[in-house]
Amino acid sequence: MQLIDGKKIAEEIQLEIAEEVKQMVAAGKRAPHLAAVLVGNDGGSMTYVNAKMKACEKVGFRSTCLRYESTISEAELLQVVDKLNNDPELDGFIVQLPLPKHIDEHKIVQAINPKKDVDGFHPENIGRMVLNLPTFLPATPYGILQLLQRCNIETSGKHCVVIGRSHIVGSPMSILLARNAMAGNSTVTLCHSRTPDITYFTKQADIIVLALGKPGFLKGDMVKDGVVVVDVGTTRVDAPDTKAGWRLKGDADFESVSPKCSWITPVPGGVGPMTITTLLKNTLQAGLAR
Ligand code: GUN
């Protein structure tokens, strides 16, 4: 069993990005600039956005965080998006989700200029992804493709089972793995909460992507020998022995699953570190297209 070291691969990619930024600046172009819109005081969202801003700094990007009260109206937030769409000093921006209930997320995402939508959430960009046209790929599935590629894990002709059909992870992941591209060319099965016998599929899988958010869901007796397991789950579980009182647990029961794997992502340190890195890759791509 080999660990897919997301932390190490993320660091490698960040060094590559930093090098490209240096070259851009040396050529007289300004460094890429990412903005994040953060509404309200959700702890998780604040942590994510902080980490994204810090990562920008690390690779030499400019970054701006715009914070608004959770009482901001939908119309006001649409005005913020409009302003960012038209800001020539900005290459890309994200509106951190979830948004307060009185704001229609779809409306906000659809108002973002697709050329600045470095999250890859705009319907135009999702359409471009499906059609295999140049676009911004959503951060988590893009990060998983990078992990598979950089570990030289073959996907062509393999049976990939994706569990979970969220708009951010499972659905785009299933599309990307089936595309005629690298990594891709897999036969894909998308399982979800209405799949009656998930074990029937996982037992046949060469590669399993877990994105259902149920800690320890996948057990060793549900997989075949030599399987590749990519675990997107990051649930906080009680851990009285730790200083924080909790630790992150993936959707795989690592103890029983890992001995059967050819490759597996640890949690933490697998997919997690990649998601911010691919957002940086998208922002660099936006900057280079300027
Ligand atoms: N909330 C959880 N993940 C994401 C993400 O990748 N982008 C945005 N904008 N919000 C999120």
Side-chain angles (χ1 to χ4, degrees), residues 92-129:
F93 66 98
I94 62 163
V95 178
Q96 187 67 23
L97 305 176
L99 290 169
K101 285 198 170 55
H102 65 275
I103 298 175
D104 181 346
E105 277 181 9
H106 291 296
K107 220 171 180 178
I108 301 298
V109 169
Q110 286 177 38
I112 297 174
N113 175 353
K115 292 199 164 54
K116 290 191 174 184
D117 167 41
V118 285
D119 260 331
F121 291 170
H122 190 283
E124 182 176 317
N125 285 328
I126 292 172
R128 295 180 69 86
M129 174 187 74

Side-chain angles (χ1 to χ4, degrees), residues 18-41:
E19 188 52 44
E20 288 220 45
V21 175
K22 264 192 206 150
Q23 286 177 20
M24 267 178 97
V25 173
K29 287 184 88 176
R30 64 164 173 77
H33 182 190
L34 173 74
V37 177
L38 178 58
V39 177
N41 296 305

Side-chain angles (χ1 to χ4, degrees), residues 36 41 54 135 203:
N41 296 305
K54 255 198 190 147
T135 184
K203 274 189 166 163

Side-chain angles (χ1 to χ4, degrees), residues 227-249:
V227 69
V228 176
V229 171
V230 177
D231 193 343
V232 186
T234 48
T235 308
R236 282 185 182 188
V237 295
D238 288 340
D241 54 319
T242 65
K243 208 168 129 193
W246 57 268
R247 65 187 170 81
L248 290 180
K249 190 163 167 61

